[in-house]
Amino acid sequence: MEATTVIPSTPAAPAAASVPPAAVRVAAARRRRAMAPLEPVSPRARWMLGVGFFVLFFAVWAVFTLGGFVSPTFLASPVTMLREGWLLFTEYNFIQDIGMTVWRVVGGFVLASVIAVPLGIAMGAYKPIEAFLEPFVSFCRYLPASAFIPLLILWAGIGESQKLLVIFIGSVFQVILMVAVTVGSARKDLVEAAYTLGASSRGIVRRVLIPGAAPGIAETLRLVLGWAWTYVIVAELIGSSSGIGHMITDSQALLNTGQIIFGIIVIGVIGLVSDFAFKAVNRRLFAWSTL
């Protein structure tokens, strides 16, 4: 009888399912390096981290003031600040001061934007206009708005016009230059492609430059709106009978640091709300933008 030859079976190759997919490997790598540069965080983590800083800030503030490390004359405690804030609303009609300040910020900012955005678009689109206006705009951009207050009081008195002009002067030149830079940095290949397709110079501005720069212009307005809040307080510190700045000046004369801090916090809260609202509107209007 012939011997039967037994051929050993080849071991089976490992199953493909044992190799993790690329998406799983990337997700695991991201979990391992949560603090990597430019690594995004989830919306929930962003909210928790932001709120956590405020909690830490108020906790440190409470320890130093309630623990007696700082004199109440120089820094009121959070409890005193809240009590003084309640008195401002219930006895001193602080809501009217807030309304006046918001009106001044919105009025001066809108006036500056209506003038500055078209000028900035013209400067960014047409180089002769940029060469004509940029030296003057750059010169004025470095002039502090508070330095104009004595002149504005002489020219416009101490009424609402003076305060609107302070915000206007502090905002308009910043917006002009930032909008001009945004429009001027448009992609040249898109402009050349539009010319190739037969677009006119006016069509380039209307169909290419403005749509491309619109998200950046909106972001510029959001940033300058924050600066406008600093200008309105400066305007209200001098020659004003209403507004948050006027309240802060009166509280400083009485050494009431609780009311001063409460007024500052109210400004910050209003500014934060307006900033979030601006961001939400920008995301809705310019969904394709990465800003």
Side-chain angles (χ1 to χ4, degrees), residues 5-63:
T5 304
V6 179
I7 301 175
S9 60
T10 305
S18 62
V19 180
V24 176
R25 294 198 302 270
V26 171
R30 286 184 174 179
R31 285 195 295 270
R32 288 194 298 269
R33 49 187 177 86
M35 291 294 290
L38 302 180
E39 193 67 30
V41 297
S42 64
R44 181 180 179 182
R46 180 179 294 274
W47 276 100
M48 292 179 63
L49 290 171
V51 172
F53 181 86
F54 280 101
V55 172
L56 178 63
F57 174 80
F58 278 95
V60 173
W61 178 14
V63 168

Coordinates of all heavy atoms in Angstrom, one line a residue, residues 5-63:
T5 N 0.0 10.8 1.7 CA 0.7 12.0 2.1 C -0.4 13.0 2.6 O -1.4 13.3 2.0 CB 1.4 12.7 0.9 OG1 2.3 11.7 0.4 CG2 2.1 13.9 1.3
V6 N -0.1 13.5 3.8 CA -1.0 14.4 4.5 C -0.5 15.8 4.3 O 0.7 16.1 4.8 CB -1.3 14.1 6.0 CG1 -2.2 15.1 6.6 CG2 -1.8 12.7 6.1
I7 N -1.2 16.7 3.7 CA -0.7 18.1 3.5 C -1.3 19.0 4.6 O -2.5 19.0 4.8 CB -1.2 18.6 2.1 CG1 -0.6 17.7 1.0 CG2 -0.8 20.1 1.9 CD1 -1.1 18.1 -0.4
P8 N -0.4 19.6 5.4 CA -0.9 20.4 6.5 C -1.7 21.6 6.0 O -1.4 22.2 5.0 CB 0.3 20.8 7.3 CG 1.4 20.7 6.2 CD 1.1 19.6 5.3
S9 N -2.8 21.9 6.7 CA -3.6 23.0 6.3 C -3.0 24.3 6.6 O -2.3 24.5 7.6 CB -5.0 22.9 7.0 OG -4.8 22.9 8.4
T10 N -3.2 25.3 5.7 CA -2.6 26.6 5.9 C -3.4 27.4 7.0 O -4.7 27.4 6.9 CB -2.6 27.4 4.6 OG1 -1.9 26.6 3.7 CG2 -1.9 28.8 4.8
P11 N -2.8 28.0 8.0 CA -3.6 28.7 9.0 C -4.4 29.9 8.3 O -3.9 30.5 7.4 CB -2.6 29.3 9.9 CG -1.3 29.2 9.2 CD -1.4 28.1 8.2
A12 N -5.6 30.0 8.8 CA -6.5 31.1 8.2 C -5.9 32.5 8.5 O -5.3 32.7 9.5 CB -7.9 30.9 8.8
A13 N -6.0 33.3 7.5 CA -5.6 34.7 7.6 C -6.5 35.4 8.7 O -7.6 35.1 8.8 CB -5.6 35.4 6.3
P14 N -5.9 36.4 9.4 CA -6.7 37.1 10.4 C -7.9 37.8 9.7 O -7.7 38.3 8.6 CB -5.8 38.1 11.0 CG -4.6 38.2 10.1 CD -4.5 36.8 9.4
A15 N -9.0 37.8 10.4 CA -10.2 38.5 9.8 C -9.9 40.0 9.6 O -9.3 40.6 10.4 CB -11.4 38.2 10.7
A16 N -10.5 40.5 8.5 CA -10.3 41.9 8.2 C -11.0 42.8 9.2 O -10.6 43.9 9.5 CB -10.9 42.2 6.8
A17 N -12.0 42.2 9.9 CA -12.7 43.0 10.9 C -11.9 43.3 12.1 O -12.2 44.2 12.9 CB -14.0 42.2 11.3
S18 N -10.8 42.5 12.3 CA -9.9 42.8 13.5 C -9.1 44.1 13.3 O -8.6 44.7 14.3 CB -9.0 41.7 13.7 OG -8.1 41.5 12.6
V19 N -9.0 44.6 12.1 CA -8.3 45.9 11.8 C -9.2 47.0 12.0 O -10.2 47.1 11.3 CB -7.6 45.9 10.4 CG1 -6.9 47.2 10.2 CG2 -6.7 44.7 10.3
P20 N -9.0 47.9 12.9 CA -10.0 49.0 13.1 C -10.0 49.9 11.9 O -9.0 50.2 11.3 CB -9.4 49.8 14.3 CG -8.0 49.4 14.4 CD -7.9 48.1 13.8
P21 N -11.2 50.4 11.6 CA -11.3 51.4 10.4 C -10.6 52.6 10.7 O -10.2 53.0 11.8 CB -12.8 51.6 10.4 CG -13.5 50.5 11.1 CD -12.5 50.1 12.2
A22 N -10.3 53.4 9.6 CA -9.5 54.6 9.7 C -10.2 55.6 10.6 O -9.6 56.3 11.4 CB -9.3 55.2 8.3
A23 N -11.6 55.7 10.5 CA -12.3 56.7 11.3 C -12.2 56.4 12.7 O -12.0 57.3 13.6 CB -13.8 56.7 10.8
V24 N -12.2 55.1 13.1 CA -12.1 54.7 14.5 C -10.7 55.1 15.0 O -10.5 55.6 16.1 CB -12.4 53.2 14.7 CG1 -12.1 52.8 16.1 CG2 -13.8 52.9 14.3
R25 N -9.7 54.8 14.2 CA -8.3 55.1 14.6 C -8.1 56.6 14.8 O -7.5 57.1 15.8 CB -7.3 54.6 13.6 CG -7.2 53.1 13.5 CD -6.0 52.6 12.9 NE -5.8 53.2 11.5 CZ -6.3 52.6 10.4 NH1 -6.9 51.4 10.5 NH2 -6.2 53.1 9.2
V26 N -8.7 57.4 13.9 CA -8.6 58.9 14.1 C -9.3 59.4 15.3 O -8.8 60.2 16.0 CB -9.1 59.6 12.8 CG1 -9.2 61.1 13.0 CG2 -8.3 59.3 11.6
A27 N -10.5 58.8 15.6 CA -11.2 59.2 16.8 C -10.5 58.9 18.0 O -10.4 59.7 19.0 CB -12.6 58.6 16.8
A28 N -9.9 57.7 18.0 CA -9.1 57.3 19.2 C -7.9 58.2 19.4 O -7.5 58.5 20.5 CB -8.7 55.8 19.1
A29 N -7.2 58.5 18.3 CA -6.1 59.4 18.4 C -6.5 60.8 18.9 O -5.7 61.4 19.7 CB -5.4 59.5 17.0
R30 N -7.6 61.3 18.5 CA -8.1 62.6 19.0 C -8.4 62.5 20.5 O -8.1 63.5 21.2 CB -9.3 63.0 18.2 CG -9.0 63.5 16.8 CD -10.2 64.0 16.1 NE -9.9 64.6 14.8 CZ -10.8 65.1 14.0 NH1 -12.1 65.1 14.3 NH2 -10.4 65.6 12.8
R31 N -8.9 61.4 21.0 CA -9.2 61.3 22.4 C -7.9 61.3 23.2 O -7.9 61.8 24.3 CB -10.0 60.0 22.6 CG -11.5 60.1 22.2 CD -12.3 59.0 22.9 NE -11.9 57.7 22.4 CZ -12.4 57.1 21.3 NH1 -13.4 57.7 20.6 NH2 -12.0 56.0 20.9
R32 N -6.9 60.7 22.6 CA -5.6 60.7 23.4 C -4.9 62.0 23.4 O -4.2 62.3 24.3 CB -4.7 59.6 22.7 CG -5.1 58.2 22.9 CD -4.0 57.2 22.6 NE -3.6 57.4 21.2 CZ -4.1 56.6 20.2 NH1 -5.1 55.7 20.5 NH2 -3.7 56.8 19.0
R33 N -5.2 62.9 22.5 CA -4.5 64.2 22.4 C -5.6 65.3 22.4 O -5.7 66.1 21.5 CB -3.6 64.3 21.2 CG -4.2 63.9 19.9 CD -3.2 63.9 18.8 NE -3.7 63.5 17.5 CZ -4.3 64.2 16.6 NH1 -4.4 65.5 16.9 NH2 -4.7 63.7 15.5
A34 N -6.3 65.4 23.5 CA -7.4 66.4 23.6 C -6.8 67.8 23.6 O -7.5 68.8 23.3 CB -8.2 66.2 24.9
M35 N -5.6 68.0 24.0 CA -5.0 69.3 24.1 C -4.1 69.6 22.9 O -3.2 70.4 23.0 CB -4.2 69.5 25.4 CG -5.1 69.6 26.6 SD -6.1 71.0 26.7 CE -4.9 72.3 27.0
A36 N -4.2 68.9 21.8 CA -3.4 69.1 20.6 C -3.7 70.5 20.0 O -4.8 71.0 20.1 CB -3.7 68.0 19.6
P37 N -2.7 71.1 19.4 CA -3.0 72.4 18.8 C -4.1 72.4 17.7 O -4.1 71.5 16.9 CB -1.6 72.8 18.1 CG -0.6 72.0 18.9 CD -1.3 70.7 19.3
L38 N -5.0 73.4 17.7 CA -6.1 73.5 16.8 C -7.1 72.4 16.8 O -7.9 72.3 15.9 CB -5.5 73.7 15.4 CG -4.6 74.8 15.1 CD1 -4.1 74.9 13.6 CD2 -5.2 76.2 15.5
E39 N -7.0 71.6 17.8 CA -8.0 70.5 17.9 C -9.3 71.0 18.5 O -9.3 71.6 19.6 CB -7.4 69.4 18.9 CG -8.2 68.1 18.8 CD -8.0 67.4 17.5 OE1 -6.9 67.5 16.9 OE2 -9.0 66.7 17.1
P40 N -10.4 70.8 17.8 CA -11.7 71.4 18.2 C -12.2 70.7 19.4 O -11.9 69.5 19.7 CB -12.6 71.3 17.0 CG -12.0 70.1 16.2 CD -10.5 70.1 16.5
V41 N -13.1 71.3 20.1 CA -13.8 70.7 21.3 C -15.3 70.7 21.0 O -15.8 71.5 20.1 CB -13.5 71.5 22.6 CG1 -12.1 71.5 22.9 CG2 -14.0 73.0 22.5
S42 N -16.0 69.9 21.6 CA -17.4 69.7 21.4 C -18.1 71.0 21.9 O -17.6 71.7 22.8 CB -18.0 68.5 22.1 OG -17.8 68.6 23.5
P43 N -19.3 71.3 21.4 CA -20.1 72.4 22.0 C -20.3 72.3 23.5 O -20.3 73.3 24.2 CB -21.4 72.4 21.1 CG -21.0 71.7 19.9 CD -20.0 70.7 20.2
R44 N -20.6 71.1 23.9 CA -20.9 71.0 25.4 C -19.6 71.3 26.2 O -19.7 72.0 27.2 CB -21.4 69.6 25.7 CG -21.7 69.3 27.1 CD -22.2 67.9 27.3 NE -22.5 67.7 28.7 CZ -22.9 66.5 29.2 NH1 -23.1 65.5 28.4 NH2 -23.1 66.4 30.5
A45 N -18.5 70.8 25.7 CA -17.2 71.0 26.4 C -16.9 72.5 26.4 O -16.4 73.1 27.4 CB -16.1 70.2 25.8
R46 N -17.2 73.2 25.3 CA -16.9 74.6 25.2 C -17.7 75.4 26.2 O -17.2 76.3 26.9 CB -17.2 75.1 23.8 CG -16.9 76.6 23.6 CD -17.2 77.0 22.1 NE -16.3 76.3 21.2 CZ -15.1 76.8 20.9 NH1 -14.7 77.9 21.4 NH2 -14.3 76.1 20.1
W47 N -19.0 75.1 26.3 CA -19.9 75.8 27.3 C -19.4 75.5 28.7 O -19.4 76.4 29.6 CB -21.3 75.3 27.1 CG -22.0 76.1 26.1 CD1 -22.3 75.7 24.8 CD2 -22.6 77.4 26.2 NE1 -23.0 76.6 24.1 CE2 -23.2 77.7 24.9 CE3 -22.7 78.3 27.2 CZ2 -23.8 78.9 24.7 CZ3 -23.4 79.5 27.0 CH2 -23.9 79.8 25.7
M48 N -19.1 74.2 29.0 CA -18.6 73.9 30.4 C -17.3 74.6 30.7 O -17.2 75.1 31.9 CB -18.5 72.4 30.5 CG -19.7 71.6 30.4 SD -19.5 69.8 30.5 CE -18.8 69.7 32.2
L49 N -16.4 74.7 29.8 CA -15.1 75.3 30.1 C -15.3 76.8 30.3 O -14.7 77.5 31.2 CB -14.1 75.1 28.9 CG -13.6 73.7 28.9 CD1 -12.8 73.5 27.6 CD2 -12.8 73.3 30.1
G50 N -16.2 77.4 29.4 CA -16.5 78.9 29.6 C -17.1 79.2 30.9 O -16.7 80.2 31.6
V51 N -18.1 78.4 31.3 CA -18.8 78.7 32.5 C -17.9 78.4 33.7 O -17.9 79.1 34.7 CB -20.1 77.8 32.6 CG1 -20.7 77.9 34.0 CG2 -21.1 78.3 31.6
G52 N -17.0 77.4 33.5 CA -16.1 77.0 34.6 C -15.2 78.2 34.9 O -14.8 78.4 36.1
F53 N -14.7 78.9 33.9 CA -13.8 80.0 34.2 C -14.6 81.1 35.0 O -14.0 81.7 36.0 CB -13.3 80.7 32.9 CG -12.4 81.8 33.2 CD1 -11.0 81.6 33.4 CD2 -12.8 83.1 33.2 CE1 -10.2 82.6 33.7 CE2 -12.0 84.2 33.5 CZ -10.7 83.9 33.7
F54 N -15.8 81.4 34.7 CA -16.6 82.4 35.5 C -16.8 81.9 36.9 O -16.6 82.7 37.9 CB -17.9 82.7 34.8 CG -17.8 83.6 33.7 CD1 -17.9 83.1 32.4 CD2 -17.8 85.0 33.8 CE1 -17.8 84.0 31.3 CE2 -17.7 85.9 32.8 CZ -17.7 85.4 31.5
V55 N -17.0 80.6 37.1 CA -17.2 80.1 38.5 C -15.9 80.3 39.2 O -15.9 80.7 40.4 CB -17.6 78.6 38.4 CG1 -17.6 78.0 39.8 CG2 -19.0 78.5 37.8
L56 N -14.8 79.9 38.6 CA -13.5 80.1 39.3 C -13.2 81.5 39.6 O -12.7 81.9 40.7 CB -12.4 79.5 38.4 CG -10.9 79.6 38.9 CD1 -10.8 78.8 40.2 CD2 -10.0 79.1 37.8
F57 N -13.5 82.4 38.7 CA -13.2 83.9 38.9 C -14.0 84.4 40.1 O -13.5 85.0 41.0 CB -13.6 84.6 37.6 CG -13.5 86.1 37.8 CD1 -12.3 86.8 37.7 CD2 -14.7 86.9 38.0 CE1 -12.2 88.2 37.8 CE2 -14.6 88.3 38.2 CZ -13.4 88.9 38.1
F58 N -15.3 84.1 40.1 CA -16.1 84.5 41.3 C -15.7 83.9 42.6 O -15.8 84.5 43.6 CB -17.6 84.3 41.0 CG -18.2 85.4 40.1 CD1 -18.3 85.2 38.7 CD2 -18.7 86.5 40.7 CE1 -18.9 86.2 37.9 CE2 -19.3 87.5 39.9 CZ -19.4 87.3 38.5
A59 N -15.3 82.6 42.5 CA -14.8 82.0 43.7 C -13.6 82.6 44.3 O -13.5 82.9 45.5 CB -14.5 80.5 43.4
V60 N -12.6 83.0 43.4 CA -11.4 83.7 43.9 C -11.8 85.0 44.4 O -11.3 85.5 45.5 CB -10.4 83.7 42.8 CG1 -9.2 84.6 43.2 CG2 -9.9 82.4 42.4
W61 N -12.7 85.7 43.7 CA -13.1 87.1 44.2 C -13.8 87.0 45.6 O -13.5 87.8 46.5 CB -14.1 87.6 43.1 CG -14.7 88.9 43.5 CD1 -14.3 89.8 44.4 CD2 -15.8 89.5 42.8 NE1 -15.1 90.9 44.4 CE2 -16.1 90.8 43.4 CE3 -16.6 89.1 41.7 CZ2 -17.1 91.6 43.0 CZ3 -17.7 89.9 41.3 CH2 -17.9 91.2 42.0
A62 N -14.6 86.0 45.8 CA -15.3 85.8 47.1 C -14.3 85.5 48.2 O -14.4 86.0 49.3 CB -16.4 84.7 46.9
V63 N -13.3 84.6 47.9 CA -12.3 84.3 48.9 C -11.6 85.5 49.4 O -11.4 85.7 50.6 CB -11.4 83.2 48.4 CG1 -10.2 83.0 49.3 CG2 -12.1 81.9 48.2

